[in-house]
Amino acid sequence: DQQVKQNSPSLSVQEGRISILNCDYTNSMFDYFLWYKKYPAEGPTFLISISSIKDKNEDGRFTVFLNKSAKHLSLHIVPSQPGDSAVYFCAGGLYNFNKFYFGSGTKLNVKP
Amino acid sequence: KAGVTQTPRYLIKTRGQQVTLSCSPISGHRSVSWYQQTPGQGLQFLFEYFSETQRNKGNFPGRFSGRQFSNSRSEMNVSTLELGDSALYLCASSLEAGPGETQYFGPGTRLLVL
């Protein structure tokens, strides 16, 4: 049973517009969430994280929103750039255990 | 500083064989975690090692094992390979095994079991 789910396998967005990637989790105990970006033939790279004590964390063009009651988080990329085209994984877990469960990924394609 | 390296990058085995994958963490990193990535399943946590000790283990059968050496390098072994073991195996390192440590991933080893 997947504890973290990304229900959209792919997303296509025009350059300059907003990209919104969604992620749902089932374990209400999770208190830490991360987003990773993965290019083909490379390992995932850390993008941004959020603790459950916050509902928003921003880093440049990337903002992660957390809705604990809905067990939902989203990653917003504004403005989207062609170089953002990659697979994005969200992960959730327990901060003190450093053990995280990953979603299946969403492939983002930003069209020039 | 060199990133996480994994060897080999590609591997083809047949059912019933065993395989050993290697991971060299970023210099100074003491924690190494292993993940399996299959289409549609995302990344699934296998295990985490810190200071040569297994700290965490995912829900994988005993055919999957690992170890960590004193220089923090880690190996993962899969015995009696099954077709379903075909996947990309990723290793990630972090400075410590403490809470929320950022993990840095290697490029992965792609294993194909025929």
Side-chain angles (χ1 to χ4, degrees), chain A residues 2 43-44 95 97 99 102-104, chain B residues 35 41 43 56-57 99 105-106:
Chain A
Q2 277 194 293
Y95 185 72
F97 286 91
K99 179 178 176 179
F102 285 75
S104 53
Chain B
Y35 295 85
Q41 289 293 317
L43 291 166
N56 269 321
K57 191 176 190 306
F105 283 80

Side-chain angles (χ1 to χ4, degrees), chain A residues 25-43:
Chain A
Y25 61 97
T26 57
N27 192 332
S28 57
M29 299 293 290
F30 285 175
D31 58 6
Y32 199 73
F33 304 88
L34 309 99
W35 283 93
Y36 285 84
K37 180 169 72 172
K38 185 181 185 300
Y39 292 116
E42 294 181 13

